[in-house]
Amino acid sequence: MTFPLFALMLCVFGVGTSEYVIAGILPGLSSDLGVDIPAAGMLVTAYALGVVIGGPIVTIATARIQRKTLMLLLMAVFIAGNVLAAVAPDYWVIVAARVLAALVHSTFVAVGIMLAVNMVPEGQSGTAVAKVSLGLNLATVLGVPLGTFIGEQYGWRATFWAVAGITTAATLLVAAVVRPAEATGGGAATELKVLGNRRVQVAIVMTVLGSAGFGTVFTYIAPLLTDVTNFSTTTVAVLLIVFGVGSVFGTMLGGKLADRSLMPALCGLLAALTVVLLLFGAAAPVQVVAAVLVFVFGAASFSIIPGLQARILTAAAGAPTLALAVNISAFQLANAGGSWLGGQVLDTAGVRWTTVAGAAVTVLGLALGLLELARDRRARAGEAPAATGSTTPTATVG
């Protein structure tokens, strides 16, 4: 990984840690601010809503700003949000702080992806996306446990100060080593027009379906492993780290496969995730097999992310920033929808059946991907008579 890509990945690591670590510091935060756990848990909902609402609005409003300059501005707002959270005198101020940080989340990640893609040779966009997205994986594996530890030792405010410090260092590194890149497309009007592209719309729906299948199961993975597999809570904590390691492996593999052959790879990975979810449910009572499948589940779930983002890049060529931001917001909606679906299944049929529900949602994403793959191949076949030169097909199907 080059130093500029590392700088972008470190920014994403800070953003991901800030988003996820709230779960680890909720007890101390709720006690200190005098609110109950459900009220404190609304900070997660507030952040998600901020991401979903803020992504399109902020992206449209900043469409003509030079990309590196925009990223530095977005990171400054994000840092301010975490500093405000660290000094918040009451519950409602910290809610406002979380929303402030969330408003720039989608646009920041989208711009980071665009800057990363500009740094690599043509045909390596999937790998570039994977390297930037690695920051989210590391946030889960390293950032959240470390942030939780800091919160337990020094208080929840120290966690927000730590996140602000990491993101400040990462922002300074971006300022020093990332080369400028002009805004793509023709401004807000062009970006909005891209959202009317059928291929972009389908790619966003694929993101929702593929990610919702993951969310349906992962939200309830702890009760699945304790109640069905009979692991202790301590073992489950270790297995969540194993899941995180699998996610790192899957992200990098998914990026490489997306560069080699985008839509065939994406369809294959969605099929693999469907199978893994079904196997997870079937083998959940067998501890050794379930432990292995936790790693495989992490790998399969995150392997689809580079391909989903790369599909947006190819479908929205010329003005991809807003489409990417909306797609990032779609991940949030998918996780929320998956959590809701899993909760309904858990209440009516039991936690083990969340894996079947997750597989059913994922297979819808697979079906949509196969339809797009067939459409792409028909389109290329129709263009073939007009082509000149070699008839060897290219490796990547966009």
Side-chain angles (χ1 to χ4, degrees), residues 261-281:
S261 186
L262 177 52
M263 283 306 295
L266 185 52
C267 290
L269 292 171
L270 284 167
L273 177 56
T274 303
V275 172
V276 168
L277 290 173
L278 293 173
L279 288 175
F280 202 1

Side-chain angles (χ1 to χ4, degrees), residues 154-319:
Y154 305 104
W156 61 270
R157 295 181 188 275
T159 299
F160 284 113
W161 282 119
V163 170
I166 290 170
T167 48
T168 298
T171 302
L172 293 174
L173 192 58
V174 168
V177 302
V178 173
R179 68 174 183 263
E182 294 303 320
T184 56
T190 304
E191 294 279 356
L192 281 170
K193 185 177 180 180
V194 166
L195 290 182
N197 184 316
R198 185 200 59 80
R199 293 175 72 214
V200 172
Q201 295 168 352
V202 171
I204 291 171
V205 175
M206 285 178 63
T207 292
V208 171
L209 293 173
S211 300
F214 157 75
T216 301
V217 178
F218 184 73
T219 304
Y220 305 98
I221 193 171
L224 177 65
L225 293 174
T226 54
D227 299 347
V228 179
T229 317
N230 294 317
F231 280 124
S232 67
T233 54
T234 301
T235 302
V236 170
V238 174
L239 287 174
L240 289 177
I241 296 175
V242 171
F243 174 91
V245 174
S247 74
V248 172
F249 174 80
T251 297
M252 299 311 297
L253 176 64
K256 291 183 181 298
L257 292 176
D259 285 339
R260 183 173 299 175
S261 186
L262 177 52
M263 283 306 295
L266 185 52
C267 290
L269 292 171
L270 284 167
L273 177 56
T274 303
V275 172
V276 168
L277 290 173
L278 293 173
L279 288 175
F280 202 1
V286 184
Q287 288 190 338
V288 173
V289 179
V292 172
L293 285 172
V294 168
F295 174 88
V296 178
F297 176 42
S301 298
F302 281 80
S303 67
I304 66 175
I305 293 177
L308 291 170
Q309 299 285 41
R311 179 65 174 180
I312 288 287
L313 284 169
T314 58

Side-chain angles (χ1 to χ4, degrees), residues 281-367:
V286 184
Q287 288 190 338
V288 173
V289 179
V292 172
L293 285 172
V294 168
F295 174 88
V296 178
F297 176 42
S301 298
F302 281 80
S303 67
I304 66 175
I305 293 177
L308 291 170
Q309 299 285 41
R311 179 65 174 180
I312 288 287
L313 284 169
T314 58
T321 310
L322 178 58
L324 280 171
V326 171
N327 204 45
I328 293 159
S329 296
F331 283 109
Q332 297 282 343
L333 288 174
N335 287 333
S339 297
W340 175 85
L341 174 62
Q344 298 302 304
V345 172
L346 188 152
D347 288 340
T348 57
V351 68
R352 194 171 175 182
W353 285 92
T354 59
T355 60
V356 177
V361 175
T362 304
V363 82
L364 293 176
L366 170 61

